[in-house]
Amino acid sequence: MGRHSTAIDTAAITPPLSPSRKRKRDKSTAEEIAVDVTAPEPPSKKALRKAKKGKATPAAPKPESKSLAVQTGSVSDEDATADALAPRKRSEYGIWIGNIPWTASKADLRNFLTKDTGISNDMIARLHLPAPSQDIVANSRQRIKPQNNGFAYIDFSTKEALTEALALSEELLSGRRVLIKDSKSFEGRPERTKEEETATVNSGKPPSKRIFVGNLAFETTKQDLQEQFARCGEMLDVHIATFEDTGKCKGYAWVEFAELEAGEAAVRGWVNFEQKADNGDEDEEVTEALAEEADVKPKKIPKLRKWWVNKLHGRPLKLEFAEGKDVRYKKRYGKDGSANKDGVKAVDSDPGSIAQPTTKAPTSSDKKAPRKFDARTVKPGAALAAAPRLTGGIVESQGKKTMFT
C-alpha cells in the first residue's frame, strides 16, 4: 500500500449482521376466514347516514352465486338469470308523436291517449319522453323551462290501440296539433283534404261570408282592407273598429263577402289566380303557324299562382269565420226579436234594423231596499265603468260666472 493510498477494506470494518437482525418470514399460517357468499351486503356509510336520519333505504337484492348454482345443478335458476339479463323485446305496435308542447309530461300524454278513447293504461307498454339537455335548459329564455324535446315514443300491446292512437293525429294537446305516425313509417305530415283544412282554420265555426280580421296595425284604413281582399271576391261591407278620440283602428275589423267561396279563400290565407304564359313573340308565331297547318286552334294552358292575403303591412293577420248578422241578432234580442232583460226591444224583425230601448215605468214591486256592501270588495275601476266616456274634444263651458264683492 502506497503512501497516498486511501482505499479502505470495508469488509474488515463492517461487522457481519447477526442472525437476530435479519427479517425472517413468519412461518405461522393465519386461520382461514369462512365467507358466506349468500349473505346480504353490509350497509355502506351512506346508507347508515340515511338510516340515522330516518330515511328508508331500498333493501339490497341477495346475490346468487353462480358456483352455487353449478354445484346444486339448478337449471331453472340459470334460465331465470339469463332471461333477466337478456334485453327485453319491444312491441311491434309503436307510434312516434311530435309537435307536443315543451311543458307536457308523461301524465299529460297518458291522459291525451286514454281520454274518450278505447285505450287503457294497461295497453301502453312503453312511454319514452326524451328530456332536453342541460345546455338547452340553461340557455332557454322562456319563463317556463322546457321539460322535453317536443316528441315521444309510445308502444302499445295490441294493434287496436295502435289504430286508435293514429286516429288522434292533428288533435289539440295544450293548444298544439300533434302529429302521430307509425314507428315503422318515415313519411311526412299527411296531406289534409279540403274539408279538414277548412275545419282546421275556422276553429270549429261554420263557414260564413263574414270573416273576422285581427292583428291589424293602428294605421290600417278601410281602403287597405279593400285592396287586400280584392282578389278573393266581391265585398259587401268592411267595418273597422276605431277609437272614439283618435279615429284610428283598434286592431280588428269585419269583412263581408258576396259569395261563400270568397270568405273561405280569405280565411285560408291565399287565393289562386290565372297567369298567362309568356313564351315570347317567336314562340307564339311558330305555334300559330303549326296550328294553321293542322287546322287546330292552339291551346294555351294558363298558369295558376297563389296570391297570399294573410299579411298586411308586415303583420300576420288572424283570419277567422265570423257569425252572421242574423245570428248575432238572435243571440242579442232573441229568436222572435222580443225585449231582453235590460228592456231593449226590437222595432222590426229585420236583422238590419236597429233596436230601440224602451223605458218602463217603475212600480212599487220594482223598488227594493238599498243593499249594503263593503267598499273593499269593489274592483278597481268598477265605479268608473258606467261613467260617460269623454271624446277629448273642446266642450263649451256651461257654468255661471259669479262675481264676489
Side-chain angles (χ1 to χ4, degrees):
M1 182 179 296
R3 180 180 178 184
H4 300 283
S5 176
T6 58
I8 301 174
D9 190 359
T10 56
I13 297 175
T14 306
L17 295 174
S18 62
S20 60
R21 293 184 179 181
K22 292 183 179 179
R23 294 182 180 180
K24 295 182 179 180
R25 182 176 297 177
D26 192 3
K27 297 181 180 180
S28 62
T29 57
E31 296 181 0
E32 295 182 358
I33 301 174
V35 178
D36 188 4
V37 183
T38 60
E41 183 182 356
S44 61
K45 293 183 179 180
K46 184 177 181 181
L48 292 175
R49 288 196 301 268
K50 288 186 177 181
K52 188 176 181 180
K53 293 180 181 179
K55 297 181 180 180
T57 56
K62 295 182 179 180
E64 296 183 357
S65 176
K66 186 175 180 181
S67 60
L68 183 62
V70 173
Q71 292 174 5
T72 55
S74 176
V75 183
S76 60
D77 294 343
E78 292 182 355
D79 296 342
T81 306
D83 294 342
L85 296 177
R88 296 180 60 185
K89 185 178 180 182
R90 287 183 53 183
S91 175
E92 298 179 358
Y93 313 112
I95 63 170
W96 177 88
I97 176 170
N99 198 32
I100 62 177
W102 284 348
T103 57
S105 60
K106 291 185 178 181
D108 297 335
L109 291 177
R110 287 183 179 272
N111 295 335
F112 173 74
L113 294 172
T114 57
K115 185 179 180 181
D116 300 333
T117 60
I119 305 175
S120 61
N121 287 324
D122 300 335
M123 296 181 181
I124 302 176
R126 173 177 171 267
L127 197 157
H128 177 51
L129 185 64
S133 61
Q134 296 297 330
D135 297 339
I136 296 177
V137 176
N139 298 330
S140 177
R141 298 182 180 179
Q142 298 182 358
R143 183 174 58 88
I144 301 176
K145 301 300 182 182
Q147 301 178 6
N148 57 72
N149 286 333
F151 59 90
Y153 303 95
I154 304 174
D155 293 345
F156 299 98
S157 58
T158 59
K159 187 176 181 180
E160 291 75 12
L162 173 64
T163 306
E164 291 195 18
L166 292 175
L168 294 176
S169 185
E170 301 294 337
E171 294 294 332
L172 289 175
L173 174 60
S174 300
R176 296 180 67 90
R177 298 194 179 275
V178 297
L179 173 61
I180 302 178
K181 298 191 300 181
D182 194 341
S183 59
K184 300 178 182 178
S185 175
F186 298 95
E187 299 178 357
R189 187 180 290 270
E191 296 182 359
R192 293 178 292 185
T193 60
K194 185 178 180 181
E195 292 77 9
E196 293 177 349
E197 189 174 3
T198 305
T200 301
V201 295
N202 61 16
S203 302
K205 296 181 181 179
S208 174
K209 300 178 183 179
R210 194 163 180 257
I211 67 171
F212 171 82
V213 185
N215 198 28
L216 294 172
F218 293 143
E219 294 78 13
T220 306
T221 61
K222 185 176 180 180
Q223 184 179 359
D224 295 339
L225 292 178
Q226 290 176 349
E227 295 176 356
Q228 179 75 7
F229 298 102
R231 290 186 178 272
C232 295
E234 181 183 357
M235 286 175 285
L236 300 179
D237 181 35
V238 177
H239 175 68
I240 300 179
T242 57
F243 293 101
E244 294 183 0
D245 50 354
T246 60
K248 290 187 176 182
C249 175
K250 287 185 176 181
Y252 56 92
W254 290 269
V255 180
E256 186 175 0
F257 295 92
E259 300 293 338
L260 181 62
E261 291 77 7
E264 292 179 350
V267 173
R268 188 171 60 242
W270 51 269
V271 60
N272 288 324
F273 71 98
E274 296 182 358
Q275 182 184 15
K276 294 182 180 179
D278 188 9
N279 297 328
D281 298 338
E282 297 180 358
D283 294 344
E284 292 181 359
E285 293 178 358
V286 172
T287 305
E288 292 178 358
L290 294 175
E292 290 178 357
E293 293 179 359
D295 295 336
V296 179
K297 294 183 179 180
K299 295 182 180 179
K300 294 183 179 180
I301 302 176
K303 293 183 180 180
L304 295 179
R305 283 191 57 191
K306 286 185 179 180
W307 185 271
W308 298 91
V309 295
N310 57 355
K311 279 190 177 182
L312 181 61
H313 296 162
R315 300 170 63 94
L317 301 180
K318 182 179 180 181
L319 303 172
E320 295 179 355
F321 288 119
E323 295 177 339
K325 292 183 178 180
D326 52 347
V327 179
R328 298 288 299 174
Y329 180 83
K330 290 178 181 179
K331 282 187 176 181
R332 187 172 183 179
Y333 305 115
K335 294 183 179 180
D336 54 351
S338 58
N340 56 12
K341 295 181 180 179
D342 299 333
V344 180
K345 185 176 180 180
V347 179
D348 192 4
S349 60
D350 184 13
S353 61
I354 303 175
Q356 297 180 357
T358 58
T359 57
K360 296 190 297 182
T363 58
S364 59
S365 60
D366 295 338
K367 296 181 180 179
K368 296 181 181 180
R371 186 176 56 181
K372 295 182 180 180
F373 65 95
D374 189 0
R376 293 173 296 179
T377 60
V378 180
K379 295 182 179 180
L384 300 177
R389 298 180 61 183
L390 300 178
T391 60
I394 300 175
V395 182
E396 184 180 358
S397 176
Q398 301 293 334
K400 291 185 178 180
K401 185 177 179 181
T402 304
M403 299 292 293
F404 294 95
T405 59

